[in-house]
Amino acid sequence: VPSIAIVGASGYGGTELLRLLTRHPHLELATVAAASSAGATVRASAPNIPDALGGATVLDVVDVDRLAQADVVVLGTPDEVSLELAPALLAAGTRVVDLSGAFRLDAATFSHWYGRPHTAPELAADGAAAAVYGLTEYARATVAAAPLVANPGCYPTATLLALRGLAGLLEPTGIVVNAMSGTSGAGRSTRDTLQASVVHGDVVTYGAPSHRHTAEIEAHAAPVGLTEPIVFTPHLVPMARGILATISAALRPGLGQADVDAALHGAYDHEPFVHVLPSGEFPRTKAVHGANSCQLSAVVDPRTGRVLVTSVIDNLVKGAAGQALQNVNVMLDLEETAGLDVVGVYP
Amino acid sequence: VPSIAIVGASGYGGTELLRLLTRHPHLELATVAAASSAGATVRASAPNIPDALGGATVLDVVDVDRLAQADVVVLGTPDEVSLELAPALLAAGTRVVDLSGAFRLDAATFSHWYGRPHTAPELAADGAAAAVYGLTEYARATVAAAPLVANPGCYPTATLLALRGLAGLLEPTGIVVNAMSGTSGAGRSTRDTLQASVVHGDVVTYGAPSHRHTAEIEAHAAPVGLTEPIVFTPHLVPMARGILATISAALRPGLGQADVDAALHGAYDHEPFVHVLPSGEFPRTKAVHGANSCQLSAVVDPRTGRVLVTSVIDNLVKGAAGQALQNVNVMLDLEETAGLDVVGVYP
Amino acid sequence: VPSIAIVGASGYGGTELLRLLTRHPHLELATVAAASSAGATVRASAPNIPDALGGATVLDVVDVDRLAQADVVVLGTPDEVSLELAPALLAAGTRVVDLSGAFRLDAATFSHWYGRPHTAPELAADGAAAAVYGLTEYARATVAAAPLVANPGCYPTATLLALRGLAGLLEPTGIVVNAMSGTSGAGRSTRDTLQASVVHGDVVTYGAPSHRHTAEIEAHAAPVGLTEPIVFTPHLVPMARGILATISAALRPGLGQADVDAALHGAYDHEPFVHVLPSGEFPRTKAVHGANSCQLSAVVDPRTGRVLVTSVIDNLVKGAAGQALQNVNVMLDLEETAGLDVVGVYP
Amino acid sequence: VPSIAIVGASGYGGTELLRLLTRHPHLELATVAAASSAGATVRASAPNIPDALGGATVLDVVDVDRLAQADVVVLGTPDEVSLELAPALLAAGTRVVDLSGAFRLDAATFSHWYGRPHTAPELAADGAAAAVYGLTEYARATVAAAPLVANPGCYPTATLLALRGLAGLLEPTGIVVNAMSGTSGAGRSTRDTLQASVVHGDVVTYGAPSHRHTAEIEAHAAPVGLTEPIVFTPHLVPMARGILATISAALRPGLGQADVDAALHGAYDHEPFVHVLPSGEFPRTKAVHGANSCQLSAVVDPRTGRVLVTSVIDNLVKGAAGQALQNVNVMLDLEETAGLDVVGVYP
């Protein structure tokens, strides 16, 4: 039985991966590590996981040698930690899926948007041993063979599944993306602005126009010809989970609703985790709550010549731990859907 | 492969059962019926279930003969519909699990609390062919053989798992139960008081002191000697799912925290779906979101000689569709946990 | 003392106006009418208004002659009702502020976007006795003299205060507006999609690309040269009140942050109800909860040459009843701020 | 014009008092101080208060001499800070209203429930210069003359208005109080358990059975003969503001609904801030959102001989800053209702 280790297991990405692994039929959980919570029970950070799931109940220290005994290590750590751990783990001979932003961009772009040098440039997107960007639906072959997978960010996943599904149909200029996220996207943070008293009954824009996911969206939309700057504006909405991305783009001349629908169905009807809704029916975030699923739909406005695509994911599942597990399944040649639901908890 | 049919499949109990069945390994979904939504897709009421789950996508008319071809029929229908359908289905030779309140009480008590006569008294709790009250942990043997199972209500499930786990330790007088429920407990209702604008940011008491679940709690606490009236007060809180029940009761003389803990662990440590937390640690509803799990804990207050038990369930899972499936598994001699998670979606 | 009457007093616009009037020093409440709730207490629809506020406690039938005895009548009625009542009330000699969409557009545009003929075209925006569009900050002189004021919609108010504050600075092409609203914007509706169980923890797009407020935004942005189609996409977010509008537009050549800030401060520093925040600080809807206040800020992105404006209002106050009262104050030559708070209830 | 100073002005009690003072006609705001936020703008903690409300925009250091120049100082500080500041301010010749728990109990009870000695015992409830417990409706004469007012806690306010309104009607044994609070009751805290991701969609019990408000409720129910221990269980519910208290108590022999109603109406019909609803109609927290109002109702259950009282307040208004201002008005011989709304923001 192949084995998996988790670092950062007390963060929301980490606990979500533990949840998914409780029902994975073919993976052994080797080590569950967390720098800040070593020695604590998993239940202290994940009250949904009863003690009875014994093997998962104590958080270990971060020990590279021990971690490297697993077939794959998933890093749910901040960028700066991943920049240190990933090279060490690769050197110790294991494979790595990283949930942070450390390896999703080329070194120069990373440096520009993150405001500091990339300290492992050989693993950056333009490095000699570049990480594979793990938007699974578009990277299966390379993920299968990759030593290091850079798991996509939550906003880029929701946005890129829409944009890449319409490859060739969109004008590259004037693309405007607005996205709304629940609070868990900010991690297990105790920032004042993430307090329940502040968030409840409130909507607020943040991070614009220089949110780092802008660079990630642009970098990974470029391969399908969308090489112009994209306007990306994120908002915080009062819920724990879920992302909705609304994409407005001009259609190329002569195209219409039928072309859009054909493209999306062609791209996704065979995909287990991406579901195209009929045009005019809008996906809701709660429909994918807890599921490794993206629902999307598109409507063309003849009046403006633009298409509106809306795309929803659970930021902790298809936007983080679920897609990581999807990539792990591909890397280990397991069934890609193992341990992963496509049905959300609704309502 | 045994087969199951659902009536009332567009209600919240029905769609939740459909969700659970999508991952059940050993049950075939025979018929999905709904009086009011016949001809509609399942996705119209359950946007979490993609069309790709084809067999489940069209709602059928309610046809007793066709339903009776299934090994078990689950009724997610109002009391008055269940009172008609259950006898008909039993006569047609199938077995039934009923989610309504129709068969949980003796005929006279039903008549008193529901304000109308019981029209199928032979199936009431004191009838010749009485339904089995399906609080599974306390009724496995009878459920296994039952033609008709009355699935417990959501508040009674949360309350009775606490009270029956402390059988013999509590004074029967002065038991006060307060419970808080999310809105889905009221069903897919369009009542003004269940509008989002009204519910958001609001807590309100309702139904006291004559909520029907009072009678159900008393009826099924009586077998363990709790034969005095119980004060039960429900509240609506601003969330979609989840119930928390807070039970205050006087301990019998000479008993203390150790006795309480021993009783609860003795009752539930071997149970897959009931989890006892350490005293002083309080369960939260979100820990069981989407799971067929009850978490509970108890703390004794030496100052007052009373014990406080808090118990949480997801009202749509252990409080409805999940416990129904647990009963179906027992009835069909399948593994009791098949298709049922114990890990909630948190946070 | 001037007097005011309200029709549709059991709707959210109506009850909000009643709330504001309880602290207005100079207006007598003449009649409180509601077609569907005649005879009921105000408290049945407005539990925040205790019975002790006696004059407001009984809802009257809709009686034009009686209503017309008031100096101003505010209509919180659906379009089709306003189309009948407004002409009748004007003929009976009173003045009218209408909260519906009936008189905000010219007759042809109304007919196109509302899908039926305008039945009082003389009062439409291009009629002989055209209603005044009551975006108060831009229409004081005409509002003061108007027999009929068309109170702006909630989305248009939030959007137009941003767009008109930047008059002359924006390229008219490629303006994209995304907006998020709490559920009270949909009125006291019992539609399935506005149920608490559905809305809680959920974000969803709706109405795009043909939401009627698109036409209203375009019609009232045109006077400042924004004559191209505007992309408008509304979303429902899980809260009761509040609207956030996010506007992305290209700046004219040579302009930058300083020009934007100067324009907004020039437009609004003297206004009691519009507050410009420093660039980079984003307004949050809860800061204006219950207040007749708009908070907005703008940030220029040199990378794209576009400006991002975010604007928040309480949809029931500055987006409905508050702006109506602001207009009433102007019409009756009262202090414009009478009865209107600028401080929201936060957090 | 009398003047007021605020310490702890960046906490939720402090910012709420600032909000209320913006519409108080007869009080000058002398000093706005905050230890941790000195030098910051008020808007940094209170985005609802625009900069234009200039006098209030900068937070001062905590300077006893300067503070003492005001006629009254309101302390929105933690217990341990109030224990130091209150004696110093009184010595400097001003009067004080304290929002903390420092002076609500006798010294021994304080010491027992707070786990440390009372360091200003002369000001404790049994001291030579005892603070007056400022449940205004029951303490007007003593508040008017008091140098130091201990403003009641939020849970005790909601509970005691119910219990004292039924003085003489209740059996003292077996009183069970359950209460649900929004998160702002915990203050501007960044504790992990108050994070939006944790709180959203969740209900949880906390602090039982030894929450400090238990002692406060007992101490101030005792004067009306309720001298037995009271069971008090608080819960955190997913909203920002509001408290609902549910009180179950046995009626004395021979009493019924008419006696209960007569007592409540007799106690409160002349009170501006307490509203008795008809029996069977339950108050909802949102009806008093932002208002210095308590709504309550009682229903007698003949089956059990018990009465159920439910009582709602806004924890930051009648449960904190509003009641403080009510007390300040009484102390300064101003109109008691000045600056205080009785109408909440609903829905």
Side-chain angles (χ1 to χ4, degrees), chain C residues 4-101:
Chain C
I4 186 172
I6 307 176
V7 186
S10 61
Y12 287 148
T15 56
E16 186 68 358
L17 185 52
L18 285 170
R19 176 177 79 85
L20 297 171
L21 288 171
T22 61
R23 69 166 80 113
H24 196 295
H26 307 304
L27 268 177
E28 182 190 329
L29 184 55
T31 306
V32 182
S36 59
S37 311
T41 62
V42 163
R43 191 160 51 82
S45 16
N48 52 330
I49 302 185
D51 273 347
L53 301 175
T57 55
V58 177
L59 295 174
D60 211 336
V61 296
V62 179
D63 172 340
V64 168
D65 291 335
R66 178 163 175 185
L67 289 165
Q69 295 169 17
D71 294 291
V72 179
V73 180
V74 178
L75 299 181
T77 43
D79 306 320
E80 56 274 24
V81 176
S82 292
L83 283 167
E84 291 196 8
L85 275 181
L89 288 163
L90 293 168
T94 189
R95 301 168 78 186
V96 175
V97 177
D98 178 44
L99 295 176
S100 86

Side-chain angles (χ1 to χ4, degrees), chain D residues 218-298:
Chain D
E218 289 178 356
H220 299 284
V224 293
L226 302 176
T227 52
E228 298 294 317
I230 290 175
V231 175
F232 171 64
T233 307
H235 305 78
L236 192 69
V237 293
M239 59 191 194
R241 287 177 179 239
I243 280 183
L244 171 73
T246 297
I247 297 120
S248 174
L251 275 185
R252 288 195 173 170
L255 300 177
Q257 185 71 49
D259 306 287
V260 164
D261 286 344
L264 291 178
H265 283 288
Y268 296 124
D269 280 357
H270 62 287
E271 286 290 349
F273 296 124
V274 186
H275 303 277
V276 181
L277 305 189
S279 179
E281 190 174 312
F282 295 102
R284 48 180 70 243
T285 59
K286 195 155 57 172
V288 298
H289 185 97
N292 192 53
S293 184
C294 173
Q295 289 191 6
L296 49 76
S297 73

Side-chain angles (χ1 to χ4, degrees), chain C residues 223-247:
Chain C
V224 293
L226 301 175
T227 54
E228 297 294 317
I230 290 175
V231 176
F232 170 65
T233 307
H235 305 79
L236 192 69
V237 293
M239 58 192 195
R241 286 179 179 239
I243 280 182
L244 171 72
T246 297
I247 297 120

Side-chain angles (χ1 to χ4, degrees), chain B:
Chain B
V1 178
S3 64
I4 185 172
I6 307 177
V7 186
S10 62
Y12 287 148
T15 56
E16 186 67 359
L17 185 53
L18 284 169
R19 177 178 78 85
L20 297 171
L21 288 171
T22 61
R23 69 167 78 113
H24 195 295
H26 308 304
L27 269 176
E28 182 190 330
L29 184 54
T31 305
V32 181
S36 60
S37 310
T41 61
V42 162
R43 190 159 51 82
S45 17
N48 53 330
I49 303 185
D51 273 347
L53 301 175
T57 55
V58 177
L59 294 174
D60 212 335
V61 296
V62 179
D63 173 337
V64 167
D65 290 336
R66 180 164 173 183
L67 289 166
Q69 295 169 17
D71 292 291
V72 178
V73 180
V74 178
L75 299 180
T77 43
D79 307 320
E80 56 273 25
V81 176
S82 292
L83 283 167
E84 290 197 9
L85 276 181
L89 288 163
L90 293 168
T94 188
R95 300 168 77 186
V96 175
V97 176
D98 178 44
L99 294 176
S100 86
F103 307 107
R104 299 170 186 160
L105 303 173
D106 64 63
T109 305
F110 177 92
S111 178
H112 177 76
W113 288 80
Y114 284 69
R116 52 196 155 83
H118 197 292
T119 56
E122 72 286 359
L123 301 178
D126 59 340
V132 169
Y133 187 70
L135 188 67
T136 326
E137 283 72 14
Y138 292 96
R140 280 188 182 97
T142 47
V143 164
L148 172 61
V149 170
N151 214 57
C154 48
Y155 289 126
T157 295
T159 304
L160 291 167
L161 287 172
L163 290 176
R164 298 194 61 152
L166 294 175
L169 279 68
L170 305 180
E171 295 284 0
T173 54
I175 297 179
V176 177
V177 178
N178 276 262
M180 292 127 237
S181 175
T183 51
S184 62
R188 191 185 293 276
S189 161
T190 54
R191 286 205 298 275
D192 184 71
T193 51
L194 293 170
Q195 278 190 80
S197 297
V198 172
V199 169
H200 181 265
D202 189 48
V203 178
V204 68
T205 308
Y206 71 98
S210 51
H211 193 285
R212 293 161 174 178
H213 283 178
T214 310
E216 185 179 337
I217 292 168
E218 289 178 356
H220 299 284
V224 291
L226 303 176
T227 53
E228 297 293 316
I230 290 175
V231 176
F232 171 65
T233 307
H235 305 78
L236 192 69
V237 294
M239 58 192 195
R241 286 178 179 240
I243 280 182
L244 171 72
T246 297
I247 297 121
S248 173
L251 274 186
R252 289 196 172 168
L255 300 177
Q257 185 72 48
D259 305 288
V260 164
D261 287 344
L264 291 178
H265 283 287
Y268 295 123
D269 280 357
H270 62 287
E271 286 290 348
F273 295 123
V274 187
H275 303 276
V276 181
L277 305 189
S279 180
E281 190 175 314
F282 295 101
R284 49 180 69 245
T285 58
K286 195 156 56 172
V288 298
H289 186 97
N292 193 53
S293 182
C294 173
Q295 290 191 6
L296 48 78
S297 73
V299 56
V300 174
D301 183 3
R303 201 177 72 97
T304 60
R306 293 177 76 94
V307 62
L308 177 77
V309 196
T310 57
S311 165
V312 299
I313 59 169
D314 183 323
N315 55 296
L316 291 182
V317 193
K318 184 62 179 167
Q323 187 154 247
L325 185 53
Q326 188 181 353
N327 283 323
V328 167
N329 285 339
V330 171
M331 292 164 82
L332 298 178
D333 203 21
L334 304 172
E335 193 182 5
E336 187 173 326
T337 57
L340 294 167
D341 285 314
V342 296
V343 176
V345 178
Y346 178 92

Side-chain angles (χ1 to χ4, degrees), chain A residues 23 43 48 241 281 341 347, chain B residues 23 43 241 281 341 344 347:
Chain A
R23 69 167 79 116
R43 192 160 50 83
N48 53 330
R241 288 177 178 238
E281 190 175 313
D341 286 313
Chain B
R23 69 167 78 113
R43 190 159 51 82
R241 286 178 179 240
E281 190 175 314
D341 285 314

Side-chain angles (χ1 to χ4, degrees), chain C residues 12 15-16 19 22-23 43 45-50 52-53 184 200-201 240-241 275 277-278 281 284 286-287 289-290 295 314 316 341-347, chain D residues 12 15-16 19 22-23 43 45-50 52-53 184 200-201 240-241 275 277-278 281 284 286-287 289-290 295 314 316 341-347:
Chain C
Y12 287 148
T15 56
E16 186 68 358
R19 176 177 79 85
T22 61
R23 69 166 80 113
R43 191 160 51 82
S45 16
N48 52 330
I49 302 185
L53 301 175
S184 63
H200 182 265
R241 286 179 179 239
H275 304 276
L277 306 189
E281 190 174 313
R284 50 181 68 245
K286 195 155 57 172
H289 186 98
Q295 290 192 5
D314 183 322
L316 291 181
D341 287 312
V342 296
V343 177
V345 178
Y346 178 92
Chain D
Y12 287 148
T15 55
E16 186 67 359
R19 176 177 79 85
T22 60
R23 68 166 77 113
R43 191 160 50 82
S45 17
N48 53 330
I49 302 184
L53 301 175
S184 63
H200 182 266
R241 287 177 179 239
H275 303 277
L277 305 189
E281 190 174 312
R284 48 180 70 243
K286 195 155 57 172
H289 185 97
Q295 289 191 6
D314 183 322
L316 292 180
D341 286 313
V342 296
V343 177
V345 178
Y346 178 91

